[in-house]
Amino acid sequence: RWPLENLRKGGKKKSYHLSCRAVDFSVRGGKPSEIKRFLRSMSAVGGYSYYPRQNFFHIDNGPRRTW
């Protein structure tokens, strides 16, 4: 994500998106609880979260955390 897009989306100044270490995505037909369970099982995923109002997930390869 380039800096202006990050700012427009309300991203943090040191967002992992800016260094290609994060991605936002959605899954058609997948239940959020199933996707979250899958993400928890992935050792390569650091941070992850689901944004229900916008219907997308965020994952990154930073420290292991969720919000």
Side-chain angles (χ1 to χ4, degrees), residues 17 22-25 39 47-49 51 56-60 67:
H17 288 283
V23 65
D24 295 334
F25 66 95
L39 294 174
Y48 66 93
S49 192
Y51 295 85
F56 74 86
F57 290 87
H58 165 96
I59 60 172
D60 64 54
W67 58 94

Side-chain angles (χ1 to χ4, degrees), residues 25-31 35 55 57:
F25 66 95
S26 60
V27 178
R28 278 193 218 164
K31 292 182 181 176
I35 307 299
N55 191 33
F57 290 87

Side-chain angles (χ1 to χ4, degrees), residues 3-57:
L4 187 55
E5 180 71 7
N6 192 60
L7 182 64
R8 204 179 90 209
K9 292 189 174 195
K12 295 181 179 182
K13 280 186 176 185
K14 295 189 178 195
S15 169
Y16 284 119
H17 288 283
L18 296 172
S19 57
C20 299
R21 295 180 59 196
V23 65
D24 295 334
F25 66 95
S26 60
V27 178
R28 278 193 218 164
K31 292 182 181 176
S33 59
E34 293 172 350
I35 307 299
K36 285 191 257 184
R37 186 173 28 248
F38 174 74
L39 294 174
R40 273 194 301 272
S41 75
M42 300 293 295
S43 61
V45 173
Y48 66 93
S49 192
Y50 175 60
Y51 295 85
R53 287 182 25 195
Q54 297 94 342
N55 191 33
F56 74 86
F57 290 87

